[in-house]
Amino acid sequence: MLRDAIRSLAEAKIAPFAAAVDEEARFPQEALDALTAADLHAVHVPEEYGGTGADALATVIVIEEVARVCASSSLIPAVNKLGSLPVILSGSEDLKKKYMTPLAKGDGMFSYCLSEPDAGSDAAGMKTKAVRDGDFWVLNGVKRWITNAGVSEYYTVMAVTDPTKRSKGISAFVVEKSDEGVSFGAPEKKLGIKGSPTREVYLDNVRIPADRMIGEEGTGFATAMKTLDHTRITIAAQALGIAQGALDYAKGYAQERKQFGKPIADFQGIQFMLADMAMKIEAARQLTYAAAAKSERGDSDLTFAGAAAKCFASDVAMEVTTDAVQILGGYGYTRDYPVERMMRDAKITQIYEGTNQVQRIVMARNLP
Ligand SMILES: Cc1cc2nc3c(=O)[nH]c(=O)nc-3n(C[C@H](O)[C@H](O)[C@H](O)COP(=O)(O)OP(=O)(O)OC[C@H]3O[C@@H](n4cnc5c(N)ncnc54)[C@H](O)[C@@H]3O)c2cc1C
């Protein structure tokens, strides 16, 4: 029922704008409005904070169905979870009440600020600093590649509070867009997910009350990594949705397009491609849903499962979207058809929330 509801909403209110959002590289406001009106913009927020309390699998299905029509728009529910999960996992009750309530209401989105210009895969090498000053912390630094930066009201920011301790000297904070000293860089000019704003976040003597720290001092990096264990599954869901969208389009096209006097779907060469695409998607879906169940239960092998789902589903998305372009022939290579956008959008799923090389490192360190 959830899938049917979100699919109808996505097809009616998000799909019609997907091409324009990509072409104009503009924020998908129509998607945000539609998702917020249907309470689907941040489904993971627990009911006690006014949220819908969707479990990890339901959240995955929402993201998958939105990504099937518009990958950029699927980053609304996905990044709201990524940005706010550190608070849900490790924040004080006051912090949860203060920030989850407006998120659930649709009054402000959440972003996640871990990466920096010189600290990507090696996130613990970050330089952003937070220095204690009485009842305040003062933050200085640059966060890079921040999804929905400038649009979000709230930012989970990881910063060094003790430079002698590397990852154990990193703490997490909630920073608000309106805090003095917060500003944003120009939107990055990207290959895909052009509707999702990616910008630098500048922290220039940002003075925030001490109770905005998420959890204990020195636990920020652990919280950031624990968050990714859960949210990599949402990127797997995004990849899955993009791939399904490409398969659905290619299948329909193959039935319509005629060459040599018959639909190209009648050629075994095309049929085998479609069969392989569907097989890989189904395998990715099973891995993703199983990982979502592990996320919900907090299973001990979640780290492996989340990395495996993200890595596998994103590789499948890249393969399937590339094959979809192939099935459309020359038409697939143009912006008149959605599969070239899907192929460009798929690529990011192999890069963010840890590149697929990093996922393999994570899996190797956590072999079942
Ligand atoms: C569109 C977009 C949105 C993003 N959104 C966010 C966000 O909201 N919040 C956030 O914090 N970050 C975000 N990121 C950052 C993203 O997570 C990083 O780009 C990613 O982790 C890789 O870091 P890097 O770009 O610095 O690459 P690098 O770490 O410099 O990696 C370069 C290459 O080296 C490889 N590599 C690095 N180390 C190893 C190793 N040990 N073994 C093998 N290979 C290795 C990588 O796999 C990659 O192929 C986003 C990025 C993009 C492009």
Side-chain angles (χ1 to χ4, degrees):
M1 279 169 66
L2 175 71
R3 186 187 297 283
D4 286 350
I6 180 79
R7 184 168 288 197
S8 325
L9 177 136
E11 284 182 348
K13 300 199 169 150
I14 299 176
F17 304 99
V21 157
D22 173 67
E23 193 70 37
E24 297 158 23
R26 67 166 175 85
F27 182 74
Q29 189 61 45
E30 298 87 350
L32 177 61
D33 293 346
L35 290 168
T36 308
D39 256 347
L40 292 166
H41 60 290
V43 282
H44 67 288
V45 178
E47 286 172 7
E48 57 212 280
Y49 309 111
T52 42
D55 65 20
L57 180 57
T59 305
V60 152
I61 291 171
V62 169
I63 294 164
E64 178 189 347
E65 288 298 325
V66 176
R68 183 175 158 273
V69 301
C70 179
S72 292
S73 300
S74 71
L75 284 164
I76 293 169
V79 174
N80 273 338
K81 179 164 181 176
L82 172 67
S84 64
L85 200 61
V87 178
I88 295 175
L89 289 174
S90 308
S92 66
E93 199 47 43
D94 284 351
L95 217 52
K96 288 186 209 177
K97 271 200 198 104
K98 182 168 180 195
Y99 291 108
M100 293 309 105
T101 313
L103 173 64
K105 261 198 208 156
D107 289 345
M109 299 209 296
F110 243 100
S111 287
Y112 176 89
C113 307
L114 178 67
S115 307
E116 296 188 359
D118 295 322
S121 301
D122 181 16
M126 69 177 63
K127 297 198 180 82
T128 295
K129 275 199 183 88
V131 176
R132 181 101 194 201
D133 180 15
D135 286 342
F136 294 85
W137 285 94
V138 181
L139 276 66
N140 277 289
V142 177
K143 290 292 173 182
R144 195 175 169 94
W145 311 117
I146 306 309
T147 299
N148 292 341
V151 181
S152 291
E153 282 299 318
Y154 311 115
Y155 299 80
T156 288
V157 174
M158 270 52 77
V160 177
T161 44
D162 183 346
T164 63
K165 292 188 180 154
R166 210 171 135 87
S167 68
K168 294 209 166 66
I170 291 170
S171 304
F173 301 88
V174 178
V175 170
E176 300 184 12
K177 181 181 175 178
S178 56
D179 287 332
E180 212 179 312
V182 175
S183 60
F184 305 98
E188 303 292 345
K189 297 175 187 143
K190 306 191 297 290
L191 174 72
I193 54 158
K194 293 187 177 200
S196 171
T198 315
R199 305 167 78 170
E200 284 189 327
V201 175
Y202 305 119
L203 304 158
D204 182 14
N205 280 321
V206 178
R207 199 177 161 78
I208 57 171
D211 62 10
R212 294 248 210 109
M213 183 182 272
I214 302 170
E216 298 295 311
E217 190 176 335
T219 62
F221 194 75
T223 296
M225 294 302 113
K226 201 170 160 199
T227 296
L228 294 178
D229 281 346
H230 294 276
T231 58
R232 279 175 180 146
I233 302 162
T234 69
I235 301 305
Q238 183 188 40
L240 190 56
I242 297 171
Q244 187 67 56
L247 172 62
D248 291 350
Y249 198 88
K251 191 173 108 187
Y253 184 90
Q255 284 157 355
E256 296 290 319
R257 173 71 174 172
K258 288 200 173 92
Q259 289 293 280
F260 302 98
K262 49 179 151 173
I264 60 168
D266 284 0
F267 300 125
Q268 199 177 49
I270 297 287
Q271 289 169 3
F272 280 9
M273 285 177 80
L274 290 166
D276 279 347
M277 291 157 79
M279 172 181 70
K280 290 174 189 170
I281 290 174
E282 196 49 35
R285 179 170 289 116
Q286 295 304 327
L287 198 53
T288 304
Y289 290 5
K294 287 179 190 296
S295 156
E296 193 58 32
R297 291 191 300 259
D299 286 358
S300 58
D301 57 351
L302 170 64
T303 303
F304 175 86
K310 188 274 192 191
C311 187
F312 188 81
S314 60
D315 285 349
V316 162
M318 204 61 240
E319 289 164 22
V320 165
T321 54
T322 305
D323 284 349
V325 169
Q326 191 68 20
I327 288 175
L328 267 73
Y331 296 97
Y333 200 65
T334 69
R335 293 199 191 169
D336 298 331
Y337 293 84
V339 288
E340 70 88 34
R341 163 169 54 83
M342 292 165 174
M343 182 176 159
R344 287 185 286 104
D345 288 348
K347 184 64 204 172
I348 191 59
T349 63
Q350 294 181 310
I351 296 172
Y352 58 17
E353 293 209 20
T355 64
N356 281 3
Q357 284 79 19
V358 166
Q359 304 309 319
R360 287 177 168 95
I361 296 171
V362 170
M363 283 187 277
R365 284 183 188 153
N366 294 277
L367 288 175

